[in-house]
Amino acid sequence: MKTVELGRTGEQVSQLALGAMIMGTSTDEPTSVEMLDRYLDAGGNFVDTANCYCWWSREGSLGGESEELLGRWLAGRRDRVFLATKGSAMVWDQQGLWRDGQPDWPLARTRFEGAGAATLTKAIDDSLRRLRTDHVDLYYVHVDDRGTPLEETLEALAGIVAAGKARHIGWSNVRTWRLERIRQLCAANGWPAPVALQQQHTYLRPKAGLDSASIVDGEQLDYLRAHDDLSLVAYSPILKGVYDSAAKRAGHWAMDNYEGPDAQARLAAVAQVAAEIGVTANQVVLAWLLRQSPTMIPLVGPRTLEQYETAYAALDVVLSDEQVARLDAAGA
């Protein structure tokens, strides 16, 4: 597996990041460990988790299962892993949060713990305890908290870095104008600036009129092209695997932000290229993302070993310049 530089940090991370969100819950521990071992043995090093993963897997959970599993697995391997975790999206108050066995996400979003100084200071310590390490390599604000002054959040993060508990910081689920304000404050105050932006990004483009702080739009891509000190870590790059199956796409919530004529045209282009080179549409999308500039790191979160191997195989998919141009140009 090739590596890429994270921002301008000098840190070399694997070109395909491995998400551990459902490890220890939907994916059992033996399968998770096998997946992690295969990834590490293949030259992968960029492992991503969060303190809240994954409370929504079952009623009564407060999260932490993923970090705890990684903490057990990391023993003897810590120096081979570029470890990322996140704070600010833990949901402590779960009163009335579950209905008919499912979490109420709109309600949950109103109860995120936020990015206040005391919250982040406690959250990083709790994460380090679960991960059984004295530091993480990258610490994200998981969900941008507009109820807390940015100065408070950034000063707290600077203290976390100064204490050696995190080596770099990142931000996730954030609008471009906020990201620019964050960078300006860091420059003015000498605080460590984000080196990674984790957002949802895929081959399909968000539908017209979509209002989302989490999905990369044209403006954000333009911003990233102009600021190569900030790497995009693209989560949900294959949208739960819907590229491979029209039946799976039909009515799937992952398509809600994309469905329309533009999406249909781009899905057709992916299917055509996949047929030409004899691979899956999901693999074409991952290969296309790996070809993008500025530096973009797809983050995959497979549930099974088969899904992991399919995603890993995308590293060997070779798209011709003509095919890339065709994929780029496709759309309504």
Side-chain angles (χ1 to χ4, degrees):
M1 190 179 305
K2 296 178 182 177
T3 61
V4 295
E5 184 179 4
L6 187 70
R8 292 198 212 119
T9 63
E11 302 279 3
Q12 290 293 312
V13 298
S14 47
Q15 62 184 144
L16 189 68
L18 182 60
M21 182 176 73
I22 57 175
M23 292 185 182
T25 50
S26 300
T27 303
D28 63 29
E29 185 150 350
T31 303
S32 300
V33 167
E34 178 68 18
M35 199 180 301
L36 289 159
D37 285 345
R38 291 188 191 186
Y39 178 70
L40 199 64
D41 290 344
N45 70 348
F46 195 177
V47 177
D48 180 271
T49 187
N51 62 344
C52 64
Y53 292 161
C54 148
W55 67 263
W56 54 92
S57 64
R58 60 178 175 83
E59 190 169 357
S61 169
L62 288 173
E65 294 94 343
S66 172
E67 288 185 330
E68 289 172 351
L69 183 149
L70 288 174
R72 293 188 288 273
W73 174 76
L74 282 166
R77 303 177 176 91
R78 179 66 187 91
D79 61 351
R80 298 173 61 191
V81 175
F82 189 91
L83 180 62
T85 194
K86 315 177 192 76
S88 81
M90 188 75 91
V91 180
W92 295 105
D93 177 11
Q94 298 201 4
Q95 182 69 33
L97 193 61
W98 287 81
R99 300 179 183 179
D100 300 323
Q102 297 296 322
D104 182 337
W105 276 104
L107 179 59
R109 291 185 183 98
T110 69
R111 297 182 180 178
F112 288 156
E113 63 182 343
T119 299
L120 290 179
T121 300
K122 181 179 186 302
I124 186 64
D125 286 343
D126 288 346
S127 287
L128 294 178
R129 174 179 49 78
R130 286 188 290 265
L131 290 163
R132 304 186 187 187
T133 185
D134 61 358
H135 75 283
V136 295
D137 299 289
L138 177 59
Y139 192 60
Y140 290 98
V141 172
H142 196 166
V143 177
D144 189 34
D145 174 14
R146 290 168 66 171
T148 299
L150 279 172
E151 292 85 350
E152 178 183 341
T153 298
L154 289 165
E155 189 170 21
L157 290 170
I160 288 169
V161 173
K165 296 178 181 180
R167 298 176 59 225
H168 305 284
I169 69 162
W171 228 270
S172 184
N173 302 298
V174 62
R175 295 187 186 273
T176 308
W177 71 266
R178 286 275 291 178
L179 186 60
E180 174 61 15
R181 180 61 177 148
I182 289 163
R183 288 162 57 88
Q184 289 176 357
L185 285 170
C186 290
N189 292 280
W191 294 325
V195 301
L197 171 66
Q198 189 172 136
Q199 299 279 86
Q200 182 170 316
H201 186 59
T202 185
Y203 172 67
L204 296 184
R205 295 182 287 220
K207 64 186 179 184
L210 181 70
D211 182 22
S212 174
S214 300
I215 298 176
V216 174
D217 58 13
E219 180 186 27
Q220 199 156 79
L221 279 177
D222 182 61
Y223 185 87
L224 288 164
R225 292 187 190 103
H227 299 90
D228 65 358
D229 59 330
L230 189 62
S231 291
L232 174 61
V233 179
Y235 73 80
S236 293
I238 56 173
L239 297 178
K240 309 300 179 184
V242 300
Y243 287 97
D244 278 352
S245 169
K248 187 174 183 178
R249 286 194 295 275
H252 197 295
W253 62 264
M255 288 295 296
D256 290 349
N257 296 315
Y258 303 93
E259 192 61 86
D262 187 71
Q264 293 307 311
R266 287 173 81 81
L267 286 166
V270 167
Q272 182 181 54
V273 171
E276 289 170 3
I277 57 181
V279 299
T280 70
N282 286 333
Q283 289 171 330
V284 168
V285 169
L286 286 173
W288 180 83
L289 287 167
L290 290 163
R291 283 279 298 261
Q292 298 310 291
S293 178
T295 299
M296 186 181 300
I297 304 166
L299 170 64
V300 296
R303 180 176 52 84
T304 66
L305 289 173
E306 181 182 7
Q307 289 175 356
Y308 166 76
E309 292 296 344
T310 299
Y312 178 75
L315 294 169
D316 293 326
V317 173
V318 178
L319 300 175
S320 70
D321 291 343
E322 185 276 332
Q323 288 168 332
V324 171
R326 202 181 339 143
L327 290 167
D328 290 344

PDB file of all heavy atoms in Angstrom, residues 279-308:
ATOM      1  N   VAL A 279     -14.080  -5.022 -12.997  1.00  0.00           N
ATOM      2  CA  VAL A 279     -14.076  -4.870 -11.542  1.00  0.00           C
ATOM      3  C   VAL A 279     -15.461  -4.391 -11.118  1.00  0.00           C
ATOM      4  O   VAL A 279     -16.341  -4.177 -11.947  1.00  0.00           O
ATOM      5  CB  VAL A 279     -12.988  -3.879 -11.072  1.00  0.00           C
ATOM      6  CG1 VAL A 279     -11.605  -4.371 -11.465  1.00  0.00           C
ATOM      7  CG2 VAL A 279     -13.238  -2.477 -11.618  1.00  0.00           C
ATOM      8  N   THR A 280     -15.661  -4.214  -9.817  1.00  0.00           N
ATOM      9  CA  THR A 280     -16.954  -3.742  -9.341  1.00  0.00           C
ATOM     10  C   THR A 280     -17.037  -2.220  -9.433  1.00  0.00           C
ATOM     11  O   THR A 280     -16.015  -1.519  -9.459  1.00  0.00           O
ATOM     12  CB  THR A 280     -17.207  -4.159  -7.892  1.00  0.00           C
ATOM     13  OG1 THR A 280     -16.338  -3.414  -7.024  1.00  0.00           O
ATOM     14  CG2 THR A 280     -16.971  -5.656  -7.692  1.00  0.00           C
ATOM     15  N   ALA A 281     -18.263  -1.718  -9.437  1.00  0.00           N
ATOM     16  CA  ALA A 281     -18.467  -0.268  -9.453  1.00  0.00           C
ATOM     17  C   ALA A 281     -17.911   0.373  -8.182  1.00  0.00           C
ATOM     18  O   ALA A 281     -17.334   1.467  -8.223  1.00  0.00           O
ATOM     19  CB  ALA A 281     -19.950   0.050  -9.606  1.00  0.00           C
ATOM     20  N   ASN A 282     -18.073  -0.291  -7.047  1.00  0.00           N
ATOM     21  CA  ASN A 282     -17.497   0.237  -5.804  1.00  0.00           C
ATOM     22  C   ASN A 282     -15.984   0.408  -5.933  1.00  0.00           C
ATOM     23  O   ASN A 282     -15.408   1.404  -5.459  1.00  0.00           O
ATOM     24  CB  ASN A 282     -17.794  -0.707  -4.634  1.00  0.00           C
ATOM     25  CG  ASN A 282     -19.239  -0.645  -4.179  1.00  0.00           C
ATOM     26  OD1 ASN A 282     -19.911   0.364  -4.329  1.00  0.00           O
ATOM     27  ND2 ASN A 282     -19.723  -1.744  -3.616  1.00  0.00           N
ATOM     28  N   GLN A 283     -15.331  -0.559  -6.551  1.00  0.00           N
ATOM     29  CA  GLN A 283     -13.876  -0.470  -6.719  1.00  0.00           C
ATOM     30  C   GLN A 283     -13.487   0.655  -7.672  1.00  0.00           C
ATOM     31  O   GLN A 283     -12.473   1.321  -7.463  1.00  0.00           O
ATOM     32  CB  GLN A 283     -13.341  -1.816  -7.206  1.00  0.00           C
ATOM     33  CG  GLN A 283     -13.386  -2.899  -6.137  1.00  0.00           C
ATOM     34  CD  GLN A 283     -13.075  -4.275  -6.669  1.00  0.00           C
ATOM     35  OE1 GLN A 283     -13.341  -4.601  -7.836  1.00  0.00           O
ATOM     36  NE2 GLN A 283     -12.499  -5.130  -5.831  1.00  0.00           N
ATOM     37  N   VAL A 284     -14.277   0.877  -8.706  1.00  0.00           N
ATOM     38  CA  VAL A 284     -14.002   2.000  -9.612  1.00  0.00           C
ATOM     39  C   VAL A 284     -14.085   3.320  -8.846  1.00  0.00           C
ATOM     40  O   VAL A 284     -13.237   4.205  -9.012  1.00  0.00           O
ATOM     41  CB  VAL A 284     -14.991   2.010 -10.797  1.00  0.00           C
ATOM     42  CG1 VAL A 284     -14.898   3.327 -11.580  1.00  0.00           C
ATOM     43  CG2 VAL A 284     -14.715   0.839 -11.723  1.00  0.00           C
ATOM     44  N   VAL A 285     -15.092   3.464  -8.007  1.00  0.00           N
ATOM     45  CA  VAL A 285     -15.245   4.706  -7.238  1.00  0.00           C
ATOM     46  C   VAL A 285     -14.041   4.917  -6.322  1.00  0.00           C
ATOM     47  O   VAL A 285     -13.491   6.020  -6.241  1.00  0.00           O
ATOM     48  CB  VAL A 285     -16.558   4.681  -6.437  1.00  0.00           C
ATOM     49  CG1 VAL A 285     -16.607   5.829  -5.434  1.00  0.00           C
ATOM     50  CG2 VAL A 285     -17.752   4.765  -7.380  1.00  0.00           C
ATOM     51  N   LEU A 286     -13.603   3.866  -5.628  1.00  0.00           N
ATOM     52  CA  LEU A 286     -12.434   4.006  -4.759  1.00  0.00           C
ATOM     53  C   LEU A 286     -11.187   4.347  -5.574  1.00  0.00           C
ATOM     54  O   LEU A 286     -10.382   5.208  -5.171  1.00  0.00           O
ATOM     55  CB  LEU A 286     -12.212   2.725  -3.957  1.00  0.00           C
ATOM     56  CG  LEU A 286     -13.195   2.471  -2.816  1.00  0.00           C
ATOM     57  CD1 LEU A 286     -12.974   1.092  -2.208  1.00  0.00           C
ATOM     58  CD2 LEU A 286     -13.079   3.545  -1.733  1.00  0.00           C
ATOM     59  N   ALA A 287     -11.022   3.700  -6.708  1.00  0.00           N
ATOM     60  CA  ALA A 287      -9.866   3.993  -7.559  1.00  0.00           C
ATOM     61  C   ALA A 287      -9.909   5.422  -8.063  1.00  0.00           C
ATOM     62  O   ALA A 287      -8.877   6.098  -8.147  1.00  0.00           O
ATOM     63  CB  ALA A 287      -9.827   3.009  -8.725  1.00  0.00           C
ATOM     64  N   TRP A 288     -11.094   5.908  -8.425  1.00  0.00           N
ATOM     65  CA  TRP A 288     -11.250   7.294  -8.870  1.00  0.00           C
ATOM     66  C   TRP A 288     -10.894   8.274  -7.760  1.00  0.00           C
ATOM     67  O   TRP A 288     -10.187   9.259  -7.984  1.00  0.00           O
ATOM     68  CB  TRP A 288     -12.685   7.510  -9.346  1.00  0.00           C
ATOM     69  CG  TRP A 288     -12.985   8.901  -9.827  1.00  0.00           C
ATOM     70  CD1 TRP A 288     -12.742   9.430 -11.064  1.00  0.00           C
ATOM     71  CD2 TRP A 288     -13.608   9.942  -9.070  1.00  0.00           C
ATOM     72  NE1 TRP A 288     -13.173  10.738 -11.121  1.00  0.00           N
ATOM     73  CE2 TRP A 288     -13.715  11.076  -9.908  1.00  0.00           C
ATOM     74  CE3 TRP A 288     -14.097  10.025  -7.761  1.00  0.00           C
ATOM     75  CZ2 TRP A 288     -14.289  12.278  -9.483  1.00  0.00           C
ATOM     76  CZ3 TRP A 288     -14.662  11.225  -7.339  1.00  0.00           C
ATOM     77  CH2 TRP A 288     -14.752  12.331  -8.187  1.00  0.00           C
ATOM     78  N   LEU A 289     -11.344   7.993  -6.555  1.00  0.00           N
ATOM     79  CA  LEU A 289     -11.019   8.861  -5.419  1.00  0.00           C
ATOM     80  C   LEU A 289      -9.516   8.879  -5.150  1.00  0.00           C
ATOM     81  O   LEU A 289      -8.942   9.927  -4.828  1.00  0.00           O
ATOM     82  CB  LEU A 289     -11.766   8.396  -4.169  1.00  0.00           C
ATOM     83  CG  LEU A 289     -13.269   8.674  -4.143  1.00  0.00           C
ATOM     84  CD1 LEU A 289     -13.937   7.897  -3.021  1.00  0.00           C
ATOM     85  CD2 LEU A 289     -13.543  10.164  -3.976  1.00  0.00           C
ATOM     86  N   LEU A 290      -8.887   7.733  -5.288  1.00  0.00           N
ATOM     87  CA  LEU A 290      -7.448   7.655  -5.057  1.00  0.00           C
ATOM     88  C   LEU A 290      -6.658   8.462  -6.086  1.00  0.00           C
ATOM     89  O   LEU A 290      -5.497   8.822  -5.842  1.00  0.00           O
ATOM     90  CB  LEU A 290      -6.992   6.194  -5.071  1.00  0.00           C
ATOM     91  CG  LEU A 290      -7.447   5.360  -3.872  1.00  0.00           C
ATOM     92  CD1 LEU A 290      -7.311   3.873  -4.172  1.00  0.00           C
ATOM     93  CD2 LEU A 290      -6.646   5.718  -2.622  1.00  0.00           C
ATOM     94  N   ARG A 291      -7.261   8.755  -7.219  1.00  0.00           N
ATOM     95  CA  ARG A 291      -6.601   9.537  -8.262  1.00  0.00           C
ATOM     96  C   ARG A 291      -6.803  11.043  -8.092  1.00  0.00           C
ATOM     97  O   ARG A 291      -6.242  11.835  -8.857  1.00  0.00           O
ATOM     98  CB  ARG A 291      -7.155   9.130  -9.642  1.00  0.00           C
ATOM     99  CG  ARG A 291      -6.626   7.821 -10.192  1.00  0.00           C
ATOM    100  CD  ARG A 291      -5.253   7.983 -10.831  1.00  0.00           C
ATOM    101  NE  ARG A 291      -5.270   8.898 -11.968  1.00  0.00           N
ATOM    102  CZ  ARG A 291      -5.327   8.520 -13.246  1.00  0.00           C
ATOM    103  NH1 ARG A 291      -5.394   7.231 -13.542  1.00  0.00           N
ATOM    104  NH2 ARG A 291      -5.320   9.409 -14.205  1.00  0.00           N
ATOM    105  N   GLN A 292      -7.608  11.449  -7.123  1.00  0.00           N
ATOM    106  CA  GLN A 292      -7.995  12.852  -7.034  1.00  0.00           C
ATOM    107  C   GLN A 292      -6.891  13.724  -6.450  1.00  0.00           C
ATOM    108  O   GLN A 292      -6.041  13.305  -5.683  1.00  0.00           O
ATOM    109  CB  GLN A 292      -9.248  13.011  -6.172  1.00  0.00           C
ATOM    110  CG  GLN A 292     -10.468  12.302  -6.723  1.00  0.00           C
ATOM    111  CD  GLN A 292     -10.709  12.612  -8.181  1.00  0.00           C
ATOM    112  OE1 GLN A 292     -11.057  13.726  -8.544  1.00  0.00           O
ATOM    113  NE2 GLN A 292     -10.541  11.621  -9.036  1.00  0.00           N
ATOM    114  N   SER A 293      -6.951  14.970  -6.838  1.00  0.00           N
ATOM    115  CA  SER A 293      -6.082  16.012  -6.292  1.00  0.00           C
ATOM    116  C   SER A 293      -6.989  17.151  -5.852  1.00  0.00           C
ATOM    117  O   SER A 293      -7.956  17.487  -6.561  1.00  0.00           O
ATOM    118  CB  SER A 293      -5.112  16.498  -7.377  1.00  0.00           C
ATOM    119  OG  SER A 293      -4.294  17.528  -6.885  1.00  0.00           O
ATOM    120  N   PRO A 294      -6.747  17.753  -4.667  1.00  0.00           N
ATOM    121  CA  PRO A 294      -5.619  17.590  -3.763  1.00  0.00           C
ATOM    122  C   PRO A 294      -5.630  16.220  -3.065  1.00  0.00           C
ATOM    123  O   PRO A 294      -6.524  15.417  -3.308  1.00  0.00           O
ATOM    124  CB  PRO A 294      -5.835  18.713  -2.743  1.00  0.00           C
ATOM    125  CG  PRO A 294      -7.320  18.846  -2.689  1.00  0.00           C
ATOM    126  CD  PRO A 294      -7.773  18.658  -4.111  1.00  0.00           C
ATOM    127  N   THR A 295      -4.637  16.023  -2.242  1.00  0.00           N
ATOM    128  CA  THR A 295      -4.531  14.750  -1.536  1.00  0.00           C
ATOM    129  C   THR A 295      -5.851  14.394  -0.879  1.00  0.00           C
ATOM    130  O   THR A 295      -6.417  15.163  -0.114  1.00  0.00           O
ATOM    131  CB  THR A 295      -3.425  14.821  -0.468  1.00  0.00           C
ATOM    132  OG1 THR A 295      -2.189  15.080  -1.111  1.00  0.00           O
ATOM    133  CG2 THR A 295      -3.319  13.504   0.284  1.00  0.00           C
ATOM    134  N   MET A 296      -6.338  13.225  -1.201  1.00  0.00           N
ATOM    135  CA  MET A 296      -7.601  12.733  -0.682  1.00  0.00           C
ATOM    136  C   MET A 296      -7.389  11.314  -0.199  1.00  0.00           C
ATOM    137  O   MET A 296      -6.809  10.504  -0.917  1.00  0.00           O
ATOM    138  CB  MET A 296      -8.660  12.779  -1.781  1.00  0.00           C
ATOM    139  CG  MET A 296     -10.059  12.435  -1.330  1.00  0.00           C
ATOM    140  SD  MET A 296     -11.215  12.505  -2.718  1.00  0.00           S
ATOM    141  CE  MET A 296     -11.056  14.218  -3.221  1.00  0.00           C
ATOM    142  N   ILE A 297      -7.851  11.038   0.984  1.00  0.00           N
ATOM    143  CA  ILE A 297      -7.653   9.724   1.578  1.00  0.00           C
ATOM    144  C   ILE A 297      -9.018   9.092   1.830  1.00  0.00           C
ATOM    145  O   ILE A 297      -9.729   9.485   2.755  1.00  0.00           O
ATOM    146  CB  ILE A 297      -6.857   9.836   2.895  1.00  0.00           C
ATOM    147  CG1 ILE A 297      -5.528  10.542   2.666  1.00  0.00           C
ATOM    148  CG2 ILE A 297      -6.647   8.450   3.514  1.00  0.00           C
ATOM    149  CD1 ILE A 297      -4.834  10.985   3.931  1.00  0.00           C
ATOM    150  N   PRO A 298      -9.428   8.144   0.995  1.00  0.00           N
ATOM    151  CA  PRO A 298     -10.699   7.461   1.259  1.00  0.00           C
ATOM    152  C   PRO A 298     -10.620   6.688   2.576  1.00  0.00           C
ATOM    153  O   PRO A 298      -9.616   6.047   2.881  1.00  0.00           O
ATOM    154  CB  PRO A 298     -10.862   6.509   0.069  1.00  0.00           C
ATOM    155  CG  PRO A 298      -9.946   7.041  -0.991  1.00  0.00           C
ATOM    156  CD  PRO A 298      -8.804   7.669  -0.257  1.00  0.00           C
ATOM    157  N   LEU A 299     -11.701   6.749   3.323  1.00  0.00           N
ATOM    158  CA  LEU A 299     -11.805   6.057   4.607  1.00  0.00           C
ATOM    159  C   LEU A 299     -12.896   5.004   4.491  1.00  0.00           C
ATOM    160  O   LEU A 299     -14.071   5.332   4.349  1.00  0.00           O
ATOM    161  CB  LEU A 299     -12.157   7.065   5.710  1.00  0.00           C
ATOM    162  CG  LEU A 299     -12.536   6.524   7.084  1.00  0.00           C
ATOM    163  CD1 LEU A 299     -11.366   5.795   7.730  1.00  0.00           C
ATOM    164  CD2 LEU A 299     -13.017   7.658   7.989  1.00  0.00           C
ATOM    165  N   VAL A 300     -12.502   3.744   4.503  1.00  0.00           N
ATOM    166  CA  VAL A 300     -13.466   2.657   4.364  1.00  0.00           C
ATOM    167  C   VAL A 300     -13.733   2.023   5.721  1.00  0.00           C
ATOM    168  O   VAL A 300     -12.847   1.920   6.563  1.00  0.00           O
ATOM    169  CB  VAL A 300     -12.982   1.586   3.361  1.00  0.00           C
ATOM    170  CG1 VAL A 300     -12.871   2.181   1.962  1.00  0.00           C
ATOM    171  CG2 VAL A 300     -11.648   0.982   3.784  1.00  0.00           C
ATOM    172  N   GLY A 301     -14.984   1.599   5.914  1.00  0.00           N
ATOM    173  CA  GLY A 301     -15.368   0.972   7.174  1.00  0.00           C
ATOM    174  C   GLY A 301     -16.065  -0.349   6.940  1.00  0.00           C
ATOM    175  O   GLY A 301     -17.267  -0.483   7.195  1.00  0.00           O
ATOM    176  N   PRO A 302     -15.352  -1.352   6.443  1.00  0.00           N
ATOM    177  CA  PRO A 302     -15.990  -2.627   6.099  1.00  0.00           C
ATOM    178  C   PRO A 302     -16.547  -3.342   7.322  1.00  0.00           C
ATOM    179  O   PRO A 302     -15.994  -3.262   8.415  1.00  0.00           O
ATOM    180  CB  PRO A 302     -14.854  -3.425   5.454  1.00  0.00           C
ATOM    181  CG  PRO A 302     -13.594  -2.803   5.964  1.00  0.00           C
ATOM    182  CD  PRO A 302     -13.904  -1.361   6.177  1.00  0.00           C
ATOM    183  N   ARG A 303     -17.641  -4.061   7.081  1.00  0.00           N
ATOM    184  CA  ARG A 303     -18.269  -4.834   8.151  1.00  0.00           C
ATOM    185  C   ARG A 303     -17.744  -6.254   8.186  1.00  0.00           C
ATOM    186  O   ARG A 303     -17.680  -6.882   9.245  1.00  0.00           O
ATOM    187  CB  ARG A 303     -19.789  -4.830   7.966  1.00  0.00           C
ATOM    188  CG  ARG A 303     -20.578  -5.598   9.012  1.00  0.00           C
ATOM    189  CD  ARG A 303     -22.085  -5.462   8.789  1.00  0.00           C
ATOM    190  NE  ARG A 303     -22.458  -5.802   7.421  1.00  0.00           N
ATOM    191  CZ  ARG A 303     -22.684  -7.043   6.992  1.00  0.00           C
ATOM    192  NH1 ARG A 303     -22.547  -8.081   7.817  1.00  0.00           N
ATOM    193  NH2 ARG A 303     -23.036  -7.269   5.739  1.00  0.00           N
ATOM    194  N   THR A 304     -17.357  -6.787   7.028  1.00  0.00           N
ATOM    195  CA  THR A 304     -16.918  -8.179   6.922  1.00  0.00           C
ATOM    196  C   THR A 304     -15.526  -8.247   6.294  1.00  0.00           C
ATOM    197  O   THR A 304     -15.071  -7.293   5.648  1.00  0.00           O
ATOM    198  CB  THR A 304     -17.884  -8.996   6.047  1.00  0.00           C
ATOM    199  OG1 THR A 304     -17.821  -8.492   4.694  1.00  0.00           O
ATOM    200  CG2 THR A 304     -19.316  -8.878   6.564  1.00  0.00           C
ATOM    201  N   LEU A 305     -14.897  -9.399   6.425  1.00  0.00           N
ATOM    202  CA  LEU A 305     -13.597  -9.597   5.787  1.00  0.00           C
ATOM    203  C   LEU A 305     -13.722  -9.526   4.271  1.00  0.00           C
ATOM    204  O   LEU A 305     -12.830  -9.002   3.589  1.00  0.00           O
ATOM    205  CB  LEU A 305     -13.007 -10.944   6.211  1.00  0.00           C
ATOM    206  CG  LEU A 305     -12.521 -11.034   7.655  1.00  0.00           C
ATOM    207  CD1 LEU A 305     -12.133 -12.469   7.990  1.00  0.00           C
ATOM    208  CD2 LEU A 305     -11.331 -10.101   7.893  1.00  0.00           C
ATOM    209  N   GLU A 306     -14.825 -10.026   3.739  1.00  0.00           N
ATOM    210  CA  GLU A 306     -15.032  -9.956   2.296  1.00  0.00           C
ATOM    211  C   GLU A 306     -15.108  -8.508   1.825  1.00  0.00           C
ATOM    212  O   GLU A 306     -14.524  -8.137   0.801  1.00  0.00           O
ATOM    213  CB  GLU A 306     -16.311 -10.696   1.910  1.00  0.00           C
ATOM    214  CG  GLU A 306     -16.593 -10.684   0.417  1.00  0.00           C
ATOM    215  CD  GLU A 306     -17.889 -11.367   0.058  1.00  0.00           C
ATOM    216  OE1 GLU A 306     -18.657 -11.738   0.972  1.00  0.00           O
ATOM    217  OE2 GLU A 306     -18.154 -11.529  -1.151  1.00  0.00           O
ATOM    218  N   GLN A 307     -15.811  -7.675   2.572  1.00  0.00           N
ATOM    219  CA  GLN A 307     -15.895  -6.258   2.218  1.00  0.00           C
ATOM    220  C   GLN A 307     -14.525  -5.598   2.314  1.00  0.00           C
ATOM    221  O   GLN A 307     -14.171  -4.755   1.474  1.00  0.00           O
ATOM    222  CB  GLN A 307     -16.895  -5.548   3.116  1.00  0.00           C
ATOM    223  CG  GLN A 307     -18.338  -5.916   2.850  1.00  0.00           C
ATOM    224  CD  GLN A 307     -19.295  -5.275   3.840  1.00  0.00           C
ATOM    225  OE1 GLN A 307     -18.891  -4.598   4.787  1.00  0.00           O
ATOM    226  NE2 GLN A 307     -20.599  -5.497   3.636  1.00  0.00           N
ATOM    227  N   TYR A 308     -13.755  -5.959   3.318  1.00  0.00           N
ATOM    228  CA  TYR A 308     -12.403  -5.406   3.435  1.00  0.00           C
ATOM    229  C   TYR A 308     -11.556  -5.791   2.233  1.00  0.00           C
ATOM    230  O   TYR A 308     -10.876  -4.941   1.629  1.00  0.00           O
ATOM    231  CB  TYR A 308     -11.722  -5.881   4.722  1.00  0.00           C
ATOM    232  CG  TYR A 308     -10.236  -5.600   4.691  1.00  0.00           C
ATOM    233  CD1 TYR A 308      -9.746  -4.313   4.897  1.00  0.00           C
ATOM    234  CD2 TYR A 308      -9.315  -6.611   4.359  1.00  0.00           C
ATOM    235  CE1 TYR A 308      -8.389  -4.031   4.798  1.00  0.00           C
ATOM    236  CE2 TYR A 308      -7.967  -6.335   4.269  1.00  0.00           C
ATOM    237  CZ  TYR A 308      -7.508  -5.046   4.488  1.00  0.00           C
ATOM    238  OH  TYR A 308      -6.163  -4.768   4.375  1.00  0.00           O
TER     239      TYR A 308
END
